[in-house]
Amino acid sequence: MRPDDANIVGNVHGGTILKMIEEAGCIIGTRHCNTQNGDRCVAALARVERTDFLHPMFIGEVAHVSAEITYTSKHSVEVQVNVLSENIVTGAKKLTNKATLWYVPFSLQNVAKIIEVPPIEYSSPEQEEAGKKRYEAQKLERLETKERNGEIIMSVSLPDRQTKEPYTVAFSQSSLIHLVGPSDCTLHGFVHGGVTMKLMDEVAGIVAARHCKTNIVTASVDAINFHRKIKKGCVITISGRMTFTSNKSMEIEVLVDADPLVEAEKGKYRAATAFFTYISLDKDNKPLPVPPLKLDGEEEQKRFEEGKARYLQNKAKRLADKERQQ
């Protein structure tokens, strides 16, 4: 990890790690889907399940990223990725991330054509059945998320912070505009999922830093859903707004909207959505209390309550997982 991979205090950006995770998933997914005869294809990212940042990674450490295919349906591949950080001076290693990603293979000859996925061999019928349940659950959640967000494009303007009250949603909300170039894209000419996730994390980090004015790090990312592909030449707007704060964490909603420049008649569309959770740290990387979010209006109150429900649900799941491991 180099200085340009990290923030000003040496913590590697969550977006940098997410990008590495996606690259590993794309490589193994594309390799697997090209083991059969027929059209050559590229695996495109459709969804990333909740990803927890278990330990921070720092400048000078080496990242080890390993990926394994754990389930295949007719048209999708589930990939599980582990990330380890290694201190090359002491040799100490830590598990920093575990992630599950879903890919869909698209033909290189016809970008609208989805290729059938070669099946994998499971160690037991129970393993296959568990994978099928995960597949059905993510498929349902992805459809529900797309329906909930719809095609309404949220325009987040940069507020005049001198006129906005600190700790409000309007004060910290932020957006980033990016022109999609060739280096951002796959062989199809569509944006790498990892590039999009890195930009999403960057915007979420700006929102979090503006809210608490301290060093911040990514703690977790709820499922990232990729609703539509983003083509080379599009202008993408990544918008972030604070939705919920607990005593020690902040939840930021991030939306990605794409605007085709060449095919402007097609209009803007919603491309990806996610919720990022950040924590505030002091100079010794110890958690700091997060300033409470000041709400204005029913819509912000509604988003806050929804964020609180996700926070309590994830907290209960962590406690249950901890009890099982004991």
Side-chain angles (χ1 to χ4, degrees):
M1 294 292 102
R2 303 178 184 278
D4 57 355
D5 296 319
N7 62 19
I8 55 176
V9 296
N11 300 105
V12 174
H13 289 296
T16 299
I17 297 171
L18 288 171
K19 190 170 183 287
M20 291 191 298
I21 289 171
E22 196 280 327
E23 287 173 349
C26 179
I27 290 169
I28 193 172
T30 299
R31 278 177 175 165
H32 176 75
C33 293
N34 284 291
T35 56
Q36 61 187 351
N37 295 326
D39 287 356
R40 301 296 88 187
C41 62
V42 172
L45 184 63
R47 175 180 166 91
V48 182
E49 301 292 354
R50 177 180 171 84
T51 304
D52 291 305
F53 289 73
L54 307 173
H55 294 283
M57 195 179 295
F58 299 97
I59 293 171
E61 293 184 334
V62 174
H64 298 258
V65 186
S66 58
E68 177 187 9
I69 293 175
T70 48
Y71 181 77
T72 57
S73 69
K74 185 177 181 180
H75 292 122
S76 66
V77 180
E78 179 191 54
V79 180
Q80 293 190 7
V81 180
N82 288 344
V83 183
L84 293 172
S85 65
E86 178 191 2
N87 184 316
I88 55 176
V89 176
T90 65
K93 292 182 181 181
K94 287 184 178 179
L95 177 68
T96 63
N97 298 84
K98 296 176 71 174
T100 301
L101 306 91
W102 294 89
Y103 289 85
V104 176
F106 287 92
S107 167
L108 283 173
Q109 307 300 320
N110 178 4
V111 73
K113 181 182 177 182
I114 299 176
I115 303 298
E116 287 196 16
V117 176
I120 62 171
E121 292 185 8
Y122 301 96
S123 60
S124 67
E126 290 77 16
Q127 184 190 34
E128 182 176 7
E129 184 60 28
K132 185 176 181 181
K133 287 181 179 178
R134 294 193 300 271
Y135 166 74
E136 295 294 343
Q138 66 84 26
K139 184 178 179 181
L140 178 62
E141 204 279 338
R142 191 150 46 92
L143 290 172
E144 289 176 347
T145 301
K146 186 174 183 180
E147 184 178 348
R148 183 170 63 248
N149 285 290
E151 291 296 328
I152 300 172
I153 308 303
M154 181 189 74
S155 178
V156 175
S157 58
L158 290 176
D160 181 357
R161 292 179 212 291
Q162 294 180 342
T163 65
K164 298 296 182 182
E165 186 179 355
Y167 310 127
T168 60
V169 175
F171 182 84
S172 61
Q173 66 183 15
S174 305
S175 63
L176 181 153
I177 297 174
H178 178 76
L179 175 63
V180 176
S183 62
D184 298 322
C185 297
T186 67
L187 297 173
H188 277 127
F190 294 102
V191 177
H192 282 289
V195 171
T196 305
M197 290 193 292
K198 192 172 187 296
L199 293 171
M200 294 171 80
D201 180 76
E202 184 176 333
V203 169
I206 292 171
V207 174
R210 280 178 169 159
H211 180 77
C212 60
K213 300 179 181 65
T214 62
N215 177 36
I216 49 88
V217 293
T218 313
S220 65
V221 186
D222 266 19
I224 304 176
N225 289 292
F226 292 83
H227 307 297
R228 293 175 62 180
K229 298 189 290 294
I230 303 171
K231 196 173 183 179
K232 179 176 66 180
C234 280
V235 172
I236 54 175
T237 302
I238 303 96
S239 304
R241 59 185 175 189
M242 193 77 66
T243 51
F244 171 76
T245 57
S246 68
N247 182 47
K248 293 183 179 179
S249 66
M250 301 162 274
E251 182 191 73
I252 296 100
E253 181 181 27
V254 182
L255 307 176
V256 180
D257 297 321
D259 185 7
L261 280 184
V262 178
E263 301 171 313
E265 69 280 358
K266 293 186 176 181
K268 294 182 181 180
Y269 59 90
R270 176 67 37 81
T273 55
F275 290 97
F276 285 71
T277 298
Y278 277 76
I279 56 174
S280 174
L281 299 176
D282 63 17
K283 293 179 180 179
D284 298 318
N285 286 313
K286 299 291 179 61
L288 287 171
V290 171
L293 182 63
K294 296 180 181 178
L295 302 174
D296 180 19
E298 293 182 5
E299 188 63 31
E300 290 183 7
Q301 183 66 48
K302 179 185 176 184
R303 290 199 295 267
F304 185 90
E305 294 301 326
E306 291 172 347
K308 184 178 180 180
R310 285 187 291 270
Y311 167 77
L312 293 174
Q313 183 180 30
N314 290 328
K315 185 177 181 180
K317 185 178 183 299
R318 286 197 304 272
L319 290 173
D321 290 342
K322 189 175 181 180
E323 288 179 2
R324 278 199 299 269
Q325 293 171 3
Q326 291 176 349

